[in-house]
PDB file of all heavy atoms in Angstrom:
ATOM      1  N   SER W 112      44.648  49.476-116.289  1.00  0.00           N
ATOM      2  CA  SER W 112      43.495  49.791-115.471  1.00  0.00           C
ATOM      3  C   SER W 112      42.563  48.585-115.336  1.00  0.00           C
ATOM      4  O   SER W 112      42.280  47.918-116.318  1.00  0.00           O
ATOM      5  CB  SER W 112      42.718  50.956-116.088  1.00  0.00           C
ATOM      6  OG  SER W 112      41.509  51.181-115.411  1.00  0.00           O
ATOM      7  N   LYS W 113      42.118  48.332-114.101  1.00  0.00           N
ATOM      8  CA  LYS W 113      41.151  47.231-113.903  1.00  0.00           C
ATOM      9  C   LYS W 113      39.773  47.562-114.476  1.00  0.00           C
ATOM     10  O   LYS W 113      38.943  46.687-114.699  1.00  0.00           O
ATOM     11  CB  LYS W 113      41.032  46.946-112.402  1.00  0.00           C
ATOM     12  CG  LYS W 113      42.278  46.334-111.794  1.00  0.00           C
ATOM     13  CD  LYS W 113      42.073  45.996-110.316  1.00  0.00           C
ATOM     14  CE  LYS W 113      43.315  45.373-109.704  1.00  0.00           C
ATOM     15  NZ  LYS W 113      43.679  44.115-110.343  1.00  0.00           N
ATOM     16  N   SER W 114      39.516  48.853-114.707  1.00  0.00           N
ATOM     17  CA  SER W 114      38.214  49.250-115.248  1.00  0.00           C
ATOM     18  C   SER W 114      38.118  49.094-116.773  1.00  0.00           C
ATOM     19  O   SER W 114      37.024  49.203-117.328  1.00  0.00           O
ATOM     20  CB  SER W 114      37.923  50.707-114.883  1.00  0.00           C
ATOM     21  OG  SER W 114      38.799  51.594-115.540  1.00  0.00           O
ATOM     22  N   ARG W 115      39.248  48.835-117.411  1.00  0.00           N
ATOM     23  CA  ARG W 115      39.225  48.676-118.871  1.00  0.00           C
ATOM     24  C   ARG W 115      39.151  47.177-119.201  1.00  0.00           C
ATOM     25  O   ARG W 115      39.813  46.352-118.589  1.00  0.00           O
ATOM     26  CB  ARG W 115      40.486  49.236-119.504  1.00  0.00           C
ATOM     27  CG  ARG W 115      40.721  50.714-119.206  1.00  0.00           C
ATOM     28  CD  ARG W 115      39.653  51.590-119.792  1.00  0.00           C
ATOM     29  NE  ARG W 115      39.950  52.997-119.618  1.00  0.00           N
ATOM     30  CZ  ARG W 115      39.098  53.999-119.805  1.00  0.00           C
ATOM     31  NH1 ARG W 115      37.839  53.723-120.155  1.00  0.00           N
ATOM     32  NH2 ARG W 115      39.459  55.262-119.654  1.00  0.00           N
ATOM     33  N   ASN W 116      38.319  46.843-120.160  1.00  0.00           N
ATOM     34  CA  ASN W 116      38.210  45.433-120.619  1.00  0.00           C
ATOM     35  C   ASN W 116      37.661  45.446-122.045  1.00  0.00           C
ATOM     36  O   ASN W 116      37.474  46.499-122.615  1.00  0.00           O
ATOM     37  CB  ASN W 116      37.303  44.639-119.652  1.00  0.00           C
ATOM     38  CG  ASN W 116      35.930  45.306-119.483  1.00  0.00           C
ATOM     39  OD1 ASN W 116      35.207  45.589-120.448  1.00  0.00           O
ATOM     40  ND2 ASN W 116      35.561  45.577-118.241  1.00  0.00           N
ATOM     41  N   TRP W 117      37.423  44.239-122.568  1.00  0.00           N
ATOM     42  CA  TRP W 117      37.028  44.194-123.995  1.00  0.00           C
ATOM     43  C   TRP W 117      35.695  44.832-124.242  1.00  0.00           C
ATOM     44  O   TRP W 117      35.441  45.305-125.345  1.00  0.00           O
ATOM     45  CB  TRP W 117      37.029  42.741-124.465  1.00  0.00           C
ATOM     46  CG  TRP W 117      35.920  41.894-123.906  1.00  0.00           C
ATOM     47  CD1 TRP W 117      35.897  41.198-122.734  1.00  0.00           C
ATOM     48  CD2 TRP W 117      34.644  41.637-124.523  1.00  0.00           C
ATOM     49  NE1 TRP W 117      34.707  40.531-122.573  1.00  0.00           N
ATOM     50  CE2 TRP W 117      33.921  40.789-123.676  1.00  0.00           C
ATOM     51  CE3 TRP W 117      34.061  42.029-125.726  1.00  0.00           C
ATOM     52  CZ2 TRP W 117      32.632  40.318-123.965  1.00  0.00           C
ATOM     53  CZ3 TRP W 117      32.785  41.585-126.018  1.00  0.00           C
ATOM     54  CH2 TRP W 117      32.079  40.742-125.151  1.00  0.00           C
ATOM     55  N   ARG W 118      34.827  44.901-123.205  1.00  0.00           N
ATOM     56  CA  ARG W 118      33.535  45.583-123.403  1.00  0.00           C
ATOM     57  C   ARG W 118      33.664  47.105-123.275  1.00  0.00           C
ATOM     58  O   ARG W 118      32.882  47.870-123.808  1.00  0.00           O
ATOM     59  CB  ARG W 118      32.541  45.093-122.351  1.00  0.00           C
ATOM     60  CG  ARG W 118      32.136  43.615-122.473  1.00  0.00           C
ATOM     61  CD  ARG W 118      31.061  43.305-121.457  1.00  0.00           C
ATOM     62  NE  ARG W 118      30.759  41.907-121.334  1.00  0.00           N
ATOM     63  CZ  ARG W 118      29.912  41.261-122.151  1.00  0.00           C
ATOM     64  NH1 ARG W 118      29.278  41.928-123.119  1.00  0.00           N
ATOM     65  NH2 ARG W 118      29.686  39.951-122.006  1.00  0.00           N
ATOM     66  N   SER W 119      34.659  47.539-122.511  1.00  0.00           N
ATOM     67  CA  SER W 119      34.829  48.939-122.221  1.00  0.00           C
ATOM     68  C   SER W 119      36.303  49.348-122.311  1.00  0.00           C
ATOM     69  O   SER W 119      36.969  49.549-121.292  1.00  0.00           O
ATOM     70  CB  SER W 119      34.270  49.270-120.814  1.00  0.00           C
ATOM     71  OG  SER W 119      34.426  50.646-120.512  1.00  0.00           O
ATOM     72  N   PRO W 120      36.806  49.467-123.547  1.00  0.00           N
ATOM     73  CA  PRO W 120      38.246  49.697-123.716  1.00  0.00           C
ATOM     74  C   PRO W 120      38.650  51.176-123.597  1.00  0.00           C
ATOM     75  O   PRO W 120      39.852  51.476-123.588  1.00  0.00           O
ATOM     76  CB  PRO W 120      38.524  49.208-125.116  1.00  0.00           C
ATOM     77  CG  PRO W 120      37.234  49.445-125.852  1.00  0.00           C
ATOM     78  CD  PRO W 120      36.151  49.197-124.830  1.00  0.00           C
ATOM     79  N   GLY W 121      37.689  52.066-123.442  1.00  0.00           N
ATOM     80  CA  GLY W 121      38.014  53.482-123.336  1.00  0.00           C
ATOM     81  C   GLY W 121      37.765  54.285-124.595  1.00  0.00           C
ATOM     82  O   GLY W 121      38.093  55.470-124.635  1.00  0.00           O
ATOM     83  N   PHE W 122      37.241  53.623-125.621  1.00  0.00           N
ATOM     84  CA  PHE W 122      36.861  54.317-126.864  1.00  0.00           C
ATOM     85  C   PHE W 122      35.720  53.550-127.489  1.00  0.00           C
ATOM     86  O   PHE W 122      35.482  52.391-127.145  1.00  0.00           O
ATOM     87  CB  PHE W 122      38.059  54.427-127.840  1.00  0.00           C
ATOM     88  CG  PHE W 122      38.714  53.099-128.129  1.00  0.00           C
ATOM     89  CD1 PHE W 122      38.261  52.281-129.164  1.00  0.00           C
ATOM     90  CD2 PHE W 122      39.788  52.675-127.358  1.00  0.00           C
ATOM     91  CE1 PHE W 122      38.874  51.062-129.430  1.00  0.00           C
ATOM     92  CE2 PHE W 122      40.407  51.461-127.614  1.00  0.00           C
ATOM     93  CZ  PHE W 122      39.953  50.659-128.638  1.00  0.00           C
ATOM     94  N   SER W 123      34.939  54.195-128.337  1.00  0.00           N
ATOM     95  CA  SER W 123      33.750  53.572-128.899  1.00  0.00           C
ATOM     96  C   SER W 123      34.137  52.496-129.925  1.00  0.00           C
ATOM     97  O   SER W 123      35.133  52.649-130.669  1.00  0.00           O
ATOM     98  CB  SER W 123      32.848  54.612-129.542  1.00  0.00           C
ATOM     99  OG  SER W 123      33.511  55.277-130.607  1.00  0.00           O
ATOM    100  N   GLN W 124      33.344  51.430-129.992  1.00  0.00           N
ATOM    101  CA  GLN W 124      33.535  50.370-130.961  1.00  0.00           C
ATOM    102  C   GLN W 124      32.204  49.853-131.444  1.00  0.00           C
ATOM    103  O   GLN W 124      31.182  49.943-130.747  1.00  0.00           O
ATOM    104  CB  GLN W 124      34.303  49.177-130.355  1.00  0.00           C
ATOM    105  CG  GLN W 124      35.771  49.391-130.179  1.00  0.00           C
ATOM    106  CD  GLN W 124      36.449  48.077-129.847  1.00  0.00           C
ATOM    107  OE1 GLN W 124      36.062  47.355-128.909  1.00  0.00           O
ATOM    108  NE2 GLN W 124      37.459  47.733-130.624  1.00  0.00           N
ATOM    109  N   THR W 125      32.164  49.289-132.631  1.00  0.00           N
ATOM    110  CA  THR W 125      31.033  48.558-133.148  1.00  0.00           C
ATOM    111  C   THR W 125      31.356  47.087-133.075  1.00  0.00           C
ATOM    112  O   THR W 125      32.480  46.698-132.759  1.00  0.00           O
ATOM    113  CB  THR W 125      30.756  48.917-134.627  1.00  0.00           C
ATOM    114  OG1 THR W 125      31.801  48.387-135.452  1.00  0.00           O
ATOM    115  CG2 THR W 125      30.683  50.423-134.819  1.00  0.00           C
ATOM    116  N   ASP W 126      30.384  46.257-133.342  1.00  0.00           N
ATOM    117  CA  ASP W 126      30.660  44.784-133.336  1.00  0.00           C
ATOM    118  C   ASP W 126      31.574  44.373-134.493  1.00  0.00           C
ATOM    119  O   ASP W 126      32.018  43.262-134.493  1.00  0.00           O
ATOM    120  CB  ASP W 126      29.317  44.011-133.416  1.00  0.00           C
ATOM    121  CG  ASP W 126      28.650  43.881-132.065  1.00  0.00           C
ATOM    122  OD1 ASP W 126      29.313  44.202-131.049  1.00  0.00           O
ATOM    123  OD2 ASP W 126      27.482  43.464-132.026  1.00  0.00           O
ATOM    124  N   ARG W 127      31.788  45.281-135.482  1.00  0.00           N
ATOM    125  CA  ARG W 127      32.699  44.949-136.558  1.00  0.00           C
ATOM    126  C   ARG W 127      34.132  45.454-136.296  1.00  0.00           C
ATOM    127  O   ARG W 127      35.017  45.217-137.111  1.00  0.00           O
ATOM    128  CB  ARG W 127      32.208  45.588-137.870  1.00  0.00           C
ATOM    129  CG  ARG W 127      31.013  44.880-138.482  1.00  0.00           C
ATOM    130  CD  ARG W 127      31.354  43.473-138.920  1.00  0.00           C
ATOM    131  NE  ARG W 127      32.273  43.422-140.051  1.00  0.00           N
ATOM    132  CZ  ARG W 127      32.876  42.334-140.488  1.00  0.00           C
ATOM    133  NH1 ARG W 127      32.671  41.168-139.842  1.00  0.00           N
ATOM    134  NH2 ARG W 127      33.687  42.360-141.507  1.00  0.00           N
ATOM    135  N   ASP W 128      34.361  46.099-135.163  1.00  0.00           N
ATOM    136  CA  ASP W 128      35.706  46.466-134.766  1.00  0.00           C
ATOM    137  C   ASP W 128      36.414  45.243-134.213  1.00  0.00           C
ATOM    138  O   ASP W 128      35.769  44.344-133.662  1.00  0.00           O
ATOM    139  CB  ASP W 128      35.661  47.589-133.738  1.00  0.00           C
ATOM    140  CG  ASP W 128      35.449  48.925-134.363  1.00  0.00           C
ATOM    141  OD1 ASP W 128      34.353  49.227-134.841  1.00  0.00           O
ATOM    142  OD2 ASP W 128      36.414  49.715-134.371  1.00  0.00           O
ATOM    143  N   PRO W 129      37.756  45.225-134.261  1.00  0.00           N
ATOM    144  CA  PRO W 129      38.474  44.064-133.686  1.00  0.00           C
ATOM    145  C   PRO W 129      38.356  44.077-132.156  1.00  0.00           C
ATOM    146  O   PRO W 129      38.381  45.143-131.518  1.00  0.00           O
ATOM    147  CB  PRO W 129      39.930  44.330-134.106  1.00  0.00           C
ATOM    148  CG  PRO W 129      40.013  45.800-134.288  1.00  0.00           C
ATOM    149  CD  PRO W 129      38.670  46.211-134.845  1.00  0.00           C
ATOM    150  N   VAL W 130      38.189  42.874-131.599  1.00  0.00           N
ATOM    151  CA  VAL W 130      38.121  42.794-130.153  1.00  0.00           C
ATOM    152  C   VAL W 130      39.478  43.161-129.572  1.00  0.00           C
ATOM    153  O   VAL W 130      40.530  42.872-130.123  1.00  0.00           O
ATOM    154  CB  VAL W 130      37.738  41.354-129.702  1.00  0.00           C
ATOM    155  CG1 VAL W 130      38.760  40.328-130.047  1.00  0.00           C
ATOM    156  CG2 VAL W 130      37.429  41.333-128.194  1.00  0.00           C
ATOM    157  N   VAL W 131      39.461  43.920-128.483  1.00  0.00           N
ATOM    158  CA  VAL W 131      40.668  44.363-127.809  1.00  0.00           C
ATOM    159  C   VAL W 131      40.633  43.953-126.346  1.00  0.00           C
ATOM    160  O   VAL W 131      39.635  43.457-125.837  1.00  0.00           O
ATOM    161  CB  VAL W 131      40.847  45.894-127.939  1.00  0.00           C
ATOM    162  CG1 VAL W 131      40.991  46.316-129.386  1.00  0.00           C
ATOM    163  CG2 VAL W 131      39.700  46.645-127.289  1.00  0.00           C
ATOM    164  N   CYS W 132      41.727  44.174-125.643  1.00  0.00           N
ATOM    165  CA  CYS W 132      41.806  43.820-124.226  1.00  0.00           C
ATOM    166  C   CYS W 132      41.568  42.332-123.996  1.00  0.00           C
ATOM    167  O   CYS W 132      40.828  41.959-123.084  1.00  0.00           O
ATOM    168  CB  CYS W 132      40.872  44.648-123.394  1.00  0.00           C
ATOM    169  SG  CYS W 132      41.230  46.423-123.359  1.00  0.00           S
ATOM    170  N   VAL W 133      42.129  41.490-124.850  1.00  0.00           N
ATOM    171  CA  VAL W 133      42.056  40.041-124.640  1.00  0.00           C
ATOM    172  C   VAL W 133      43.456  39.523-124.458  1.00  0.00           C
ATOM    173  O   VAL W 133      44.388  39.925-125.153  1.00  0.00           O
ATOM    174  CB  VAL W 133      41.344  39.291-125.784  1.00  0.00           C
ATOM    175  CG1 VAL W 133      39.851  39.657-125.877  1.00  0.00           C
ATOM    176  CG2 VAL W 133      41.987  39.569-127.136  1.00  0.00           C
ATOM    177  N   SER W 134      43.603  38.650-123.468  1.00  0.00           N
ATOM    178  CA  SER W 134      44.914  38.048-123.234  1.00  0.00           C
ATOM    179  C   SER W 134      45.150  36.840-124.132  1.00  0.00           C
ATOM    180  O   SER W 134      44.231  36.377-124.800  1.00  0.00           O
ATOM    181  CB  SER W 134      45.005  37.600-121.757  1.00  0.00           C
ATOM    182  OG  SER W 134      44.152  36.489-121.545  1.00  0.00           O
ATOM    183  N   TRP W 135      46.381  36.330-124.084  1.00  0.00           N
ATOM    184  CA  TRP W 135      46.675  35.082-124.835  1.00  0.00           C
ATOM    185  C   TRP W 135      45.829  33.965-124.338  1.00  0.00           C
ATOM    186  O   TRP W 135      45.306  33.149-125.118  1.00  0.00           O
ATOM    187  CB  TRP W 135      48.156  34.773-124.688  1.00  0.00           C
ATOM    188  CG  TRP W 135      48.647  33.603-125.474  1.00  0.00           C
ATOM    189  CD1 TRP W 135      49.069  33.623-126.785  1.00  0.00           C
ATOM    190  CD2 TRP W 135      48.808  32.270-125.022  1.00  0.00           C
ATOM    191  NE1 TRP W 135      49.463  32.351-127.174  1.00  0.00           N
ATOM    192  CE2 TRP W 135      49.324  31.502-126.120  1.00  0.00           C
ATOM    193  CE3 TRP W 135      48.615  31.609-123.826  1.00  0.00           C
ATOM    194  CZ2 TRP W 135      49.590  30.147-126.019  1.00  0.00           C
ATOM    195  CZ3 TRP W 135      48.899  30.262-123.725  1.00  0.00           C
ATOM    196  CH2 TRP W 135      49.374  29.542-124.803  1.00  0.00           C
ATOM    197  N   ASP W 136      45.608  33.883-123.012  1.00  0.00           N
ATOM    198  CA  ASP W 136      44.743  32.846-122.451  1.00  0.00           C
ATOM    199  C   ASP W 136      43.314  32.999-122.981  1.00  0.00           C
ATOM    200  O   ASP W 136      42.615  32.001-123.250  1.00  0.00           O
ATOM    201  CB  ASP W 136      44.778  32.889-120.912  1.00  0.00           C
ATOM    202  CG  ASP W 136      46.079  32.427-120.335  1.00  0.00           C
ATOM    203  OD1 ASP W 136      46.775  31.655-121.005  1.00  0.00           O
ATOM    204  OD2 ASP W 136      46.431  32.863-119.210  1.00  0.00           O
TER     205      ASP W 136
END
Side-chain angles (χ1 to χ4, degrees):
S112 172
K113 292 184 181 296
S114 67
R115 303 296 187 193
N116 54 54
W117 71 273
R118 295 185 189 275
S119 180
F122 53 88
S123 62
Q124 284 193 306
T125 70
D126 278 349
R127 286 295 293 169
D128 279 70
V130 65
V131 298
C132 294
V133 293
S134 70
W135 185 84
D136 290 334

